Amino acid sequence: MKHFISVHDVTNVNDMVQLAMHYKQHPFIDQHLGANKRIGLLFLNPSLRTRLSTQIAASNLGMEAIVFNIDKDGWALEFEEGAIMSGHTVEHIKDAAPILGQYFDILCIRAFPALQNKQDDYSEQVMKAFMQYAAVPIVSLESATLHPLQSLTDVLTIKEHWHKPTKPKVVLTWAPHIKALPQCVANSFSQWMTHWGEAEFVIAHPEDYALDATFTKSATITHHQDEALQNADFVYVKNWSTYHDYGKIYSNDPSWMLTEQKLQLTNQAKVMHCLPVRRNIELSDEILDSNASLVNTQAGNRVWAAQAVLSTILKTL
Amino acid sequence: MKHFISVHDVTNVNDMVQLAMHYKQHPFIDQHLGANKRIGLLFLNPSLRTRLSTQIAASNLGMEAIVFNIDKDGWALEFEEGAIMSGHTVEHIKDAAPILGQYFDILCIRAFPALQNKQDDYSEQVMKAFMQYAAVPIVSLESATLHPLQSLTDVLTIKEHWHKPTKPKVVLTWAPHIKALPQCVANSFSQWMTHWGEAEFVIAHPEDYALDATFTKSATITHHQDEALQNADFVYVKNWSTYHDYGKIYSNDPSWMLTEQKLQLTNQAKVMHCLPVRRNIELSDEILDSNASLVNTQAGNRVWAAQAVLSTILKTL
Amino acid sequence: MKHFISVHDVTNVNDMVQLAMHYKQHPFIDQHLGANKRIGLLFLNPSLRTRLSTQIAASNLGMEAIVFNIDKDGWALEFEEGAIMSGHTVEHIKDAAPILGQYFDILCIRAFPALQNKQDDYSEQVMKAFMQYAAVPIVSLESATLHPLQSLTDVLTIKEHWHKPTKPKVVLTWAPHIKALPQCVANSFSQWMTHWGEAEFVIAHPEDYALDATFTKSATITHHQDEALQNADFVYVKNWSTYHDYGKIYSNDPSWMLTEQKLQLTNQAKVMHCLPVRRNIELSDEILDSNASLVNTQAGNRVWAAQAVLSTILKTL
């Protein structure tokens, strides 16, 4: 594995999950692996869980992690080829990336979409530019369209909680939110569900909220949440803004909030969310405070997912 | 010791001071104690001395310290039970705290009072919520009403400079300031003086600046600074805003500034301040630049106080 | 070497360059040197390359590096002796510096000029105050008038790329920019070229942009860029604002941008820049993307220059 940008960088999802579970049992077993190696965590957007879990994963592997938060006003990067840089951008990616590649053995990057222009966001300009110019492995800490460390965590969490021989029914359901959010988590979860292939995968969302079909190929898609929830074993709750008429909030129908009552429709489903969650908007207190909730487990598992990814890359250096 | 929020968490103040003195002589003697342990330093408000001294203390004990400054706009926490989170708060403490508790073995938190509502501040909502939900030891890096790491440092500094068999006379005197400051340092110092019990403790402040009586039980209180300074062995200078009519600046009488002349009244008293200090407003240059000043010693001692607290908690993990 | 503020702190430039080259070959050879030593990196102004390279250099030497970025509004330092601190400054350097000196074995400081008042900036108030009050070695991470870590890097980079017995011709040329920049890099490069003495050193700039003559004593100065570029072996491109009528942008003549065509005048010169660079304003894409460019090598060499400086100081502790 050179980079970790999407599920396509992973040879075998189950092997990667297995490795993450191994680290959960033995956090410090590979502490020699990262000796005298450095990992840079570059945040173009803020982060709590992702920063901490990746930093801890790196440290468990004996690497030195250096975090740098880029205030966009302070260090606006230019991406346009041939730009005459007389404006607000202060450094071109062609100059910035190679240097970071000299300073670090692995470079992790978070760069959210602007949600202004679909083509720009879905071209994954930032990740691609770093891959092109940095000359070291690039790990996505959430990009414009995907969040693979979250998705690996999610598969891990599902596997930990499913012990039957049959495939679990996993439902990704849209939920209301007060802000226009990226499609990253939903895209990425769909992509990983597809690639993993060991679940019956259903997506429920209001009509206008169809995701990019590239990611949802294996999913049964419905606009009826109740229908989707029938016999579900896992319900992943997540808001996203519109994809087709890009980055908008159309309806924000509060009836899409997951409640205890709706959960009755399921097969005593476990409930997942990547956090942070708007309580009583996306998900009700009664669920989050119950045993059905896996959200804390997911957040904890972020460490082991990151550790599996970093150690896999470290072994190739 | 599970948490360290106030003097009530300490079994024996003198033992804790002794341990801090021991670390001052032998900073790295317990470097094994924190191996593979992580401490999170969460700042809801900015810090220089507290951050650095706690980070250094942790590192002296072999722990990995991770600092995260929370920009309040970026990660506004919700504390209200049952809140419908459609406003500016992005994550509930019930979701945030357990995750931080998974990532860290000890969690240190700084959260200043808003000085808007006495009940809110004096309920110590933030500390209590982290203690309730994080499931790991919580260490206060200054809370809404107390600053115990500072107070432990202060007792340590007094003990280092007092070698007579009698009790020293310790005076806490209010001083002018241009901003409305919390009562934390004054409350906490009063609480520790009371608990320690090895000083004759006097508080001098203008009439409107009475502190919460809960903390000042053992103190002789006067509104006459000159009277208080008579035969003082230590003078602790600190501004605070009003407690009863909460968070106000009433008079800001410049004659309350401690000067060399006033110090003549004392028993060649040593002068203390937790820093940062407004020179020539709270305390005159002539004192701060003289041998009477212990302010640098106090700031240096912050490391050993923190190290004593962290090692005591580490031993229980 | 006690402090590292300018070339005058270095006994022998070539020995220091040699040490940096040694570390480039063997980054971890002196990892024992910094055991249980701490270095504070205090940024009064933002930094990317300088922060990362110094942090990595410290870590290569086994030191613990702690970075703290000072938001000027949050922690405005007072420098005036005898100030009555009733304004926006919250802490006097006389109180802040000694404490940082207690916490760290070496203190590194970045403090840009305000470009408002020449006397203030050229007095190097901040560096001098820290040297006076901190009681530990002070390393400049770029001060109001100089940037010695950059200049040591630059000499190192020139030496790496010059293998003839004759002196190379090194040209420092002014370039256009959209903002008024400090003279630090140009001053410092001139000072190091002078002290090193192993190059024929020429400075080219438009008439109004003369530098402080203190630094440029050994240089041939011209206002004709073409003339300067004739037979140049190295061309260092850098903008600076006016020195005499201080901190202004007079002309910003775009014809001073270095281009491929101009480079034809040189002896296949290598092109240098300290970064960040405004592409197609200071330097054209065609040069930056060609083999003539040393800018990435320079940025990488920042680590080894810093490591040489820190290890030299460590050996004196």
Side-chain angles (χ1 to χ4, degrees), chain A residues 28 31 48-49 51-53 55-56 59-60 178 275-281 285 289 296 299-300 303, chain B residues 36 38 64 66-68 75 81-87 89-92 94-95 98-100 102-104:
Chain A
F28 303 112
Q31 210 159 18
L48 178 71
R49 263 161 292 269
R51 177 200 147 177
L52 292 175
S53 60
Q55 198 170 355
I56 289 169
S59 147
N60 284 350
I178 63 155
L275 300 181
V277 61
R278 295 265 177 166
R279 280 176 173 251
N280 303 312
I281 299 288
D285 273 343
D289 296 337
N296 287 336
V303 173
Chain B
N36 290 334
R38 278 194 197 93
E64 185 187 17
I66 296 183
V67 173
F68 42 122
W75 193 56
E81 185 65 37
I84 296 168
M85 290 174 60
S86 60
T89 56
V90 301
E91 183 147 27
H92 202 286
K94 289 165 78 172
D95 300 312
I99 290 151
L100 296 175
Q102 286 187 79
Y103 290 165
F104 295 106

Side-chain angles (χ1 to χ4, degrees), chain B residues 28 31 48-53 55-57 59-60 178-179 275-281 285 288-289 295-303, chain C residues 36-38 42 64-70 74-75 81-92 94-96 98-100 102-104:
Chain B
F28 304 112
Q31 210 158 19
L48 178 69
R49 262 161 292 269
T50 297
R51 177 202 147 176
L52 292 175
S53 59
Q55 199 170 353
I56 289 170
S59 148
N60 284 350
I178 64 156
K179 289 173 66 179
L275 299 181
V277 62
R278 296 265 177 166
R279 281 177 172 248
N280 302 313
I281 299 289
D285 273 342
L288 281 164
D289 296 337
V295 301
N296 287 335
T297 307
Q298 280 174 277
N301 281 341
R302 291 292 306 272
V303 172
Chain C
N36 289 336
K37 295 274 185 270
R38 280 196 195 91
L42 169 59
E64 185 188 17
I66 297 183
V67 174
F68 42 121
N69 299 303
I70 298 303
W75 194 55
E81 184 66 36
I84 296 167
M85 291 174 58
S86 60
H88 75 291
T89 56
V90 301
E91 182 147 28
H92 202 285
K94 289 165 78 172
D95 300 312
I99 290 152
L100 296 175
Q102 286 187 79
Y103 290 165
F104 296 107

Side-chain angles (χ1 to χ4, degrees), chain A residues 86-124:
Chain A
S86 59
H88 76 290
T89 56
V90 301
E91 183 147 27
H92 202 286
I93 185 73
K94 289 164 78 172
D95 301 312
I99 291 152
L100 296 175
Q102 286 187 79
Y103 290 164
F104 296 107
D105 300 287
I106 300 175
L107 201 51
C108 302
I109 293 153
R110 162 162 289 199
F112 287 170
L115 290 182
Q116 300 301 313
N117 180 302
K118 195 198 295 189
Q119 262 71 33
D120 281 1
D121 290 347
Y122 275 69
S123 72
E124 289 287 8

Side-chain angles (χ1 to χ4, degrees), chain C residues 11-175:
Chain C
T11 313
N12 183 303
V13 172
N14 278 322
D15 287 354
M16 194 61 88
V17 169
Q18 209 57 48
L19 183 57
M21 286 173 167
H22 173 65
Y23 285 129
K24 190 167 182 172
Q25 296 305 314
H26 312 285
F28 303 112
I29 202 167
D30 279 342
Q31 211 158 18
H32 59 284
L33 214 56
N36 289 336
K37 295 274 185 270
R38 280 196 195 91
I39 185 166
L41 276 60
L42 169 59
F43 289 92
L44 300 170
N45 301 95
S47 167
L48 178 69
R49 262 161 292 269
T50 296
R51 177 202 146 174
L52 292 176
S53 59
T54 311
Q55 199 170 355
I56 289 169
S59 148
N60 284 350
L61 293 165
M63 299 185 86
E64 185 188 17
I66 297 183
V67 174
F68 42 121
N69 299 303
I70 298 303
D71 179 87
K72 265 173 294 187
D73 302 321
W75 194 55
L77 284 174
E78 178 64 57
F79 288 91
E80 199 196 322
E81 184 66 36
I84 296 167
M85 291 174 58
S86 60
H88 75 291
T89 56
V90 301
E91 182 147 28
H92 202 285
I93 185 72
K94 289 165 78 172
D95 300 312
I99 290 152
L100 296 175
Q102 286 187 79
Y103 290 165
F104 296 107
D105 300 287
I106 300 176
L107 201 51
C108 302
I109 292 153
R110 162 163 289 200
F112 286 171
L115 290 182
Q116 298 302 311
N117 180 302
K118 195 197 298 188
Q119 262 72 34
D120 282 0
D121 290 346
Y122 274 69
S123 73
E124 290 286 10
Q125 187 184 40
V126 178
M127 289 295 152
K128 283 190 181 148
F130 275 103
M131 286 193 278
Q132 183 174 356
Y133 296 115
V136 293
I138 302 297
V139 172
S140 165
L141 302 175
E142 189 169 347
S143 70
T145 69
L146 294 170
H147 195 354
L149 283 173
Q150 179 65 52
S151 306
L152 171 55
T153 303
D154 297 335
V155 179
L156 163 62
T157 308
I158 290 171
K159 283 201 77 164
E160 279 183 332
H161 291 84
W162 188 250
H163 306 292
K164 296 184 189 162
T166 55
K167 287 184 175 185
K169 180 175 176 183
V170 176
V171 177
L172 169 65
T173 179
W174 184 91

Side-chain angles (χ1 to χ4, degrees), chain B residues 158-176:
Chain B
I158 290 170
K159 281 201 75 164
E160 279 184 332
H161 292 84
W162 187 250
H163 307 289
K164 297 185 188 161
T166 54
K167 286 186 175 186
K169 179 176 176 185
V170 176
V171 176
L172 168 65
T173 177
W174 183 91

